Structures are given as C-alpha cells and as structure tokens.
Amino acid sequence: MGNTISVCMIAKNEEENIKNSLECARKFADEIIVVDTGSEDATPEIARSMGAKVYFFPWRDDFSAARNESLKYATCDWILWLDADDVIDDVNIERIKELKKILPSEKNEAYLFLIESKIADGGEDPWYWYQLRMFPNHKDIKFEGRIHEQVVFSLLRLGIKEKVANIKIVHTGYTDKGKIVEKIQRNLRLLEEEEKKENSFWVKRYLAFTYAKLGRIDDAIKKVDEALEIVPKNSPIWVYDLHMIAYDIKRLKGNWDEVMRHLEEAEKIRPDEGAVNIAKAEVFFAKKEYEKSFEELDKARKKGFGVNLIAVAPDSLKKKYYLGMARVLYHLKRYKDSLEHFKKVFELSPNFFSCQKDAVDEFVDCAMKLGEYELAYKILKSIEDKLSPYQLSNLAFVSEVLQKLDEAREYYKKAYEGTEDENPSVIFNYAQFEFMHGDKRNALELFTKYLGTVEPSDESKISIASALTCVANILLKAGEIKSSVEILSTACEALGVRVYANSISDLAIAWIKISELFKNNFMKNVAVENAIETLKFAPDEEKEVKEKVIKMLNEKTERLFASLNQ
C-alpha cells in the first residue's frame, strides 16, 4: 500500500511511562517495535500487553546502535520513532492518520514533527522545536551518533527532502531535575568517548552545550568554536544553531563584541528570526546602548516569536520582549510606556517577573515616579514571598505611603530580619519609619546600626546626614545637648558645612544650614526642629544672637510651609 507505519521505540525501566506512549501509538500504527535495553522492571511485559513486538538488546552506551536495532525489525513502509515518555493527543493522532493517506509512493520525503517539552530547569514555559521523527523504511537510513542520535545525515546522502508536518508530540522526559542531572553526566561521558573516535561538529556542539550546563564555560567556548570551524557550510541551519549556542555561552563572559559577531552571523542565515533580535537587544542593553536595544526589540516584535529546528520557548521569548522593552524604556526615561510594559510582563507571568531582581526594582522606581503606589503595592504584595529584603522594604514604603501603617511596620521588620548582609538601605528605611510613626528608642538603635554599617560615599552622604539629623532630634528632645553637638559636628562634616560655633545659637544656625541641603521636606523640617530644640538650651546672654536665629527660623518655616502648599 505504501502507507503503513512502524512505530519504533527503545526503552529501559519505563514502566511508569510506556503504557501511555503505546496507548497513543496503537491508535495509528500498523506495527509497534519496542527494543528493551536492560529493564529491571515490568517494561517488557507492559509493552507486550499493549500489542508491541518486544526484542532485547544489551545496552552498550550507544543510542544509535539501540535505535538501529529497532529499525531492523520494522516491516512497514514508513518508520515513526518515539521515546517511551512521548505522548500524542487525539487531535494529533488524527493528523498522523491523515498524513498516512497522502504519503508519497516514491518515499522521497521525511517529516519534522513539532516537539513540546516542559524542561525542569528551563523556566515555567514549554519549549518547542522541530525534530525529524518519520522517514521511509530504507536499509540505508540509519541513526548516527552515540548520543543525540540523528538520521539526518543518511537522508542527506540519499537526497531525501525534509518537510514540516503539522503534528505535535509532547515529550515528558525533562521534568525531573534529578534525572536531568543524571542524563547530563551520562551524556558527557558518552560525548567525550565519541569525540575521541570522530572529529564531528555534531559531537562538539553537544559537548559545548553539556559543558555549559555543568558551568564549565571555558570548555564550552572551546568546543563551540571548534564546531563552527568544521560544520559544513552547506548546512545553514546547523551553522545558525552553533552561532546561537556560541552567543548563549559567551554572553556569560561579557565579551559583547564577540557575542554580537555570532548574532550577526546568525541573522544573515535567519533574517526572519525574532529570537536573534531579542538576543541583540540584550547585548545592547548590557552595553547601555538603550536606543539600539529599543530598535532590536521593535524588530523582534514585528517578526514574531515562532518555532523552528532550534529549541525555543515562544511564551518565554514574548516575556523577554516585554521585559526588555520595559527596562529599555525605563532607562530612556519614558516611564509611562515603561510601566505599561512592566504590567504586561506581570500579566503574562508573575513568577517570571518576580525572578527579575533589577527589573522589579526598576518597576518600583518607575511606579513611584508616576505616583502609581496602588499598582506598586498590588504587584509587590502578590509576589512578596519572592522578594528580597530590599524589595520587601520597598513594599513597606508603598504601604506606608498608602497609610497601611501596620502592614508597613510588618514588612519593614521582615525586611530587616531577613537581610543577612545587613543591607544599609533596609536598615535606614526601617529606622526612618520608626522615627516617623513608631518607637523612638527603636529608631535610635536602628539609626545607630545603620551608621555603623554604611560606607561613606557621595551616594550615601545625604542618607548619613538624614540619619544623624534624626538621631540628634531624639537626643535633643531627651535633653542630651552635649551628645547632639557631637552628632551635629559629624553631620556638618558629612555634608561639607562650615560652622564657627561660639555659642549654642550658632549651633542652631548650623542646623538651619543643614536643612537647606535636604531636598526632602520631611528632613528639612526635622533639621529646622533641631534648630528650635537647640535654641532652648541657649543662655540669656545670647539674647541678641538668639533673636537673629529666631528670625531666620521664622523665615525658614514660612518658606517650608509655602513649599508644602504649592
């Protein structure tokens, strides 16, 4: 008839999976061949009960040998190979049946099926790629390669063309992290043995991939470069594949010019591939060339996020696009547009968004700049179990702004208790909250801890001065004028304020000068209050200077109230 199909499968200890796989296969296959490579469970018995012809072949660390053993027993016109953990739904089973009706009698075609796989360490989205799964039953078509075996090389020699079929197989073999680690170690051993026998770009390609998975980045770079040197130039899809792998590995080293070279070569081969533009956008972003990053992301949007021979997670690419655009727009100070893209990332996947630490921080800053505190609160609260101590501190702040003070106190405390490296910003934020709304004694302890932790710098000097000002305020109200003078001296030094203090009233003037350096109205007010509190300790003989200071305070207070009312 010319359209019968043998399903060929190899299996070992697959009793948990093989029944489901064969249940699918028996709905369209004319023959099922299972080669068992050494099961110690009920795999062979289950296969027989499902109508499969079962044969035994001792495992010898060679996937092609086992696969070719299964081909040896096939008697039908076409072969469709499956793994024991593959499943096919009814819609795609019907599509296979339809394909059977139109298979060419010349047997000059082989068919690529869409593979969907949930990868345990590949993010939350399914990955997709096209894989050659069905081909004519021909004595010269054999699998090649001890690991990551392929028939594509046989097909090339025979001149059999590949066609994409609208058929999907779901592969479930990469969902167990423990098994993935075992597979990687096994694959490494087989690949290294294979490389000793054959100088193949295919082996080097998978060695590069495996080394990268194990964190051996220098070894991975060496192998992918070697693979690019020997890959046949008349196999553009594999040249493209290797350049994309080179990009993915070499970006970990931050050699952006080299990374960009690989992406440009990949784009020459697949100018329609949006994934390349997303990768280029990431490179430009890393180099802080935000306009160029924006341009590449826009190109990616126009091209779309399709699937090809190279494994890709389209939903993941979509999220990368929105995240990349949100971050680029943030750095271009287009905050409104940035916020809309951040919202889209969160809508697509709260989990993905919560894992992007820098992006979460940029989102919060963007929302605050636009006064979108309710939005910041809603999103941060929904992912609070994933937030770092610093981000929890941000959640506390937006709760405080929204007058959810009990929640704010809880989050500030949680952030403070969760910071292992004594993050100065987390400590400062909690201290300032307690100063404004809570226990002054606790605020004093927290500010003291902050001042003992923070490293003085241009960036931290205002925060240091703020902490010192608040500490002085607590001390002054407790009647500790002497201690407050020491704090004032340190604050003046931190801010570069020169003070010639011949009297207590002069100290009050120093606090007025410090207040003028704060942009934050609350801190301006605290510094002015310090001046007022200091004046209370001025003796009567300073009457003239004291009156001068009071006049300055009155003017300062009027300006402060005017700014608050604007």
Side-chain angles (χ1 to χ4, degrees):
M1 290 177 61
N3 59 354
T4 56
I5 296 176
S6 295
V7 165
C8 292
M9 178 185 295
I10 63 174
K12 181 179 179 180
N13 295 330
E14 291 284 358
E15 64 180 5
E16 293 181 5
N17 300 309
I18 196 168
K19 183 176 180 179
N20 289 336
S21 186
L22 295 182
E23 187 65 52
C24 301
R26 67 195 294 186
K27 293 178 181 179
F28 65 83
D30 300 284
E31 174 182 60
I32 299 174
I33 306 294
V34 174
V35 168
D36 189 282
T37 59
S39 292
E40 297 173 346
D41 61 9
T43 297
E45 290 76 14
I46 294 172
R48 285 196 189 95
S49 73
M50 300 297 292
K53 299 175 183 177
V54 179
Y55 302 89
F56 295 91
F57 183 74
W59 179 247
R60 58 191 196 202
D61 283 348
D62 190 328
F63 280 90
S64 284
R67 295 256 185 228
N68 290 332
E69 183 72 7
S70 72
L71 302 187
K72 186 172 76 174
Y73 298 108
T75 62
C76 293
D77 303 294
W78 295 80
I79 289 170
L80 192 161
W81 68 269
L82 291 176
D83 284 330
D85 46 16
D86 287 340
V87 290
I88 309 172
D89 64 25
D90 288 341
V91 170
N92 286 284
I93 287 170
E94 289 303 312
R95 289 174 179 171
I96 294 173
K97 290 178 180 178
E98 291 300 314
L99 179 61
K100 282 179 71 175
K101 296 176 184 178
I102 59 171
L103 290 169
S105 57
E106 299 88 351
K107 297 182 182 178
N108 59 351
E109 294 178 352
Y111 296 92
L112 296 153
F113 289 7
L114 180 66
I115 308 300
E116 175 186 301
S117 182
K118 185 72 171 66
I119 301 175
D121 60 351
E124 63 184 347
D125 301 309
W127 285 67
Y128 296 89
W129 64 94
Y130 282 105
Q131 189 173 53
L132 219 161
R133 285 298 188 110
M134 190 165 138
F135 48 86
N137 188 352
H138 190 292
K139 65 181 179 64
D140 292 326
I141 297 179
K142 302 291 182 186
F143 283 93
E144 298 176 37
R146 296 179 71 179
I147 185 76
H148 299 297
E149 63 282 8
Q150 295 285 330
V151 295
V152 63
F153 306 112
S154 297
L155 299 177
L156 286 170
R157 287 192 290 269
L158 293 170
I160 294 175
K161 60 185 178 182
E162 300 172 10
K163 290 188 69 175
V164 173
N166 185 27
I167 295 166
K168 183 178 77 174
I169 295 173
V170 177
H171 183 66
T172 62
Y174 295 109
T175 55
D176 186 321
K177 287 187 178 181
K179 287 185 178 180
I180 287 177
V181 172
E182 289 178 13
K183 285 182 178 181
I184 289 173
Q185 293 293 348
R186 176 205 64 194
N187 293 354
L188 178 61
R189 176 174 56 83
L190 296 179
L191 287 165
E192 288 179 337
E193 290 175 6
E194 183 81 352
E195 189 186 30
K196 292 175 184 176
K197 299 177 181 178
E198 183 180 2
N199 187 39
S200 161
F201 85 86
W202 189 254
V203 174
K204 292 180 186 297
R205 182 258 191 221
Y206 278 105
L207 267 174
F209 179 82
T210 305
Y211 284 141
K213 283 284 184 184
L214 294 170
R216 295 170 57 177
I217 304 305
D218 289 336
D219 290 332
I221 290 173
K222 182 173 183 289
K223 290 304 169 189
V224 76
D225 284 344
E226 290 176 1
L228 277 164
E229 287 178 6
I230 62 175
V231 63
K233 298 303 182 276
N234 63 348
S235 299
I237 191 62
W238 300 121
V239 178
Y240 169 85
D241 170 66
L242 286 168
H243 280 299
M244 291 303 287
I245 290 175
Y247 139 75
D248 205 32
I249 296 170
K250 292 184 180 183
R251 69 187 176 88
L252 300 174
K253 289 285 191 177
N255 186 347
W256 301 119
D257 291 340
E258 178 73 1
V259 168
M260 187 59 79
R261 181 182 67 80
H262 287 293
L263 291 174
E264 287 172 349
E265 290 299 320
E267 191 172 28
K268 289 176 185 175
I269 298 167
R270 293 296 303 269
D272 59 334
E273 188 63 58
V276 178
N277 298 101
I278 287 179
K280 289 177 73 175
E282 290 174 352
V283 174
F284 284 126
F285 186 88
K287 296 171 71 175
K288 299 184 179 180
E289 297 180 33
Y290 301 120
E291 290 285 359
K292 290 182 179 179
S293 184
F294 177 87
E295 290 171 8
E296 293 299 332
L297 286 167
D298 197 49
K299 289 177 186 176
R301 177 186 60 81
K302 292 173 181 175
K303 293 178 183 179
F305 315 115
V307 182
N308 53 56
L309 291 174
I310 311 305
V312 67
D315 289 342
S316 180
L317 285 178
K318 193 180 296 182
K319 286 182 288 194
K320 282 186 176 182
Y321 161 75
Y322 280 109
L323 180 71
M325 192 61 88
R327 299 194 68 193
V328 165
L329 290 167
Y330 170 82
H331 285 279
L332 291 174
K333 303 187 187 309
R334 291 171 56 181
Y335 299 120
K336 189 173 180 180
D337 293 335
S338 173
L339 192 64
E340 289 304 310
H341 284 80
F342 275 127
K343 285 162 62 177
K344 186 66 177 178
V345 178
F346 181 77
E347 289 168 8
L348 288 169
S349 173
N351 185 56
F352 174 79
F353 178 73
S354 69
C355 295
Q356 316 301 317
K357 180 182 180 301
D358 291 340
V360 171
D361 294 342
E362 290 165 358
F363 157 74
V364 173
D365 187 54
C366 190
M368 288 181 181
K369 280 180 166 64
L370 296 170
E372 293 281 358
Y373 295 104
E374 286 283 2
L375 176 65
Y377 173 79
K378 175 186 173 183
I379 289 181
L380 290 178
K381 189 170 178 64
S382 71
I383 58 173
E384 66 175 274
D385 59 325
K386 303 285 183 63
L387 298 179
S388 69
Y390 176 74
Q391 291 164 342
L392 272 174
S393 185
N394 280 334
L395 175 54
F397 176 75
V398 294
S399 301
E400 181 184 352
V401 171
L402 296 170
Q403 292 299 300
K404 302 176 186 290
L405 299 184
D406 289 340
E407 282 189 50
R409 178 173 288 105
E410 178 187 343
Y411 290 132
Y412 276 128
K413 184 178 180 182
K414 190 174 179 181
Y416 172 67
E417 292 174 347
T419 180
E420 295 178 2
D421 58 352
E422 296 191 329
N423 186 313
S425 296
V426 170
I427 301 170
F428 176 83
N429 292 340
Y430 185 23
Q432 195 165 57
F433 174 83
E434 288 287 33
F435 178 79
M436 294 173 67
H437 304 289
D439 182 349
K440 292 291 195 292
R441 183 183 295 275
N442 192 31
L444 184 60
E445 291 177 1
L446 289 166
F447 277 128
T448 301
K449 186 165 187 179
Y450 166 75
L451 291 167
T453 304
V454 67
E455 289 290 332
S457 68
D458 288 341
E459 291 182 355
S460 65
K461 69 179 182 180
I462 293 296
S463 294
I464 290 172
S466 298
L468 291 167
T469 301
C470 291
V471 169
N473 187 271
I474 296 170
L475 294 173
L476 284 165
K477 288 180 177 179
E480 297 285 345
I481 181 66
K482 185 176 180 181
S483 298
S484 78
V485 172
E486 294 174 2
I487 297 296
L488 173 60
S489 175
T490 307
C492 288
E493 184 180 345
L495 293 172
V497 174
R498 288 190 174 186
V499 177
Y500 300 97
N502 296 314
S503 65
I504 288 179
S505 298
D506 288 338
L507 299 177
I509 292 173
W511 281 119
I512 294 172
K513 288 183 177 179
I514 287 175
S515 74
E516 293 169 351
L517 297 176
F518 287 124
K519 293 181 179 180
N520 180 287
N521 281 330
F522 174 78
M523 287 311 306
K524 284 180 181 289
N525 188 55
V526 175
V528 168
E529 191 175 42
N530 286 358
I532 294 169
E533 291 294 326
T534 300
L535 277 182
K536 292 179 182 179
F537 295 93
D540 292 339
E541 54 264 32
E542 291 185 21
K543 182 179 178 181
E544 186 177 334
V545 179
K546 190 175 178 179
E547 287 176 352
K548 176 184 174 184
V549 176
I550 290 171
K551 184 179 178 182
M552 290 174 64
L553 282 169
N554 288 335
E555 292 174 356
K556 184 71 179 174
T557 304
E558 285 176 10
R559 288 199 302 271
L560 183 59
F561 277 115
S563 67
L564 288 172
N565 291 325
Q566 283 178 352

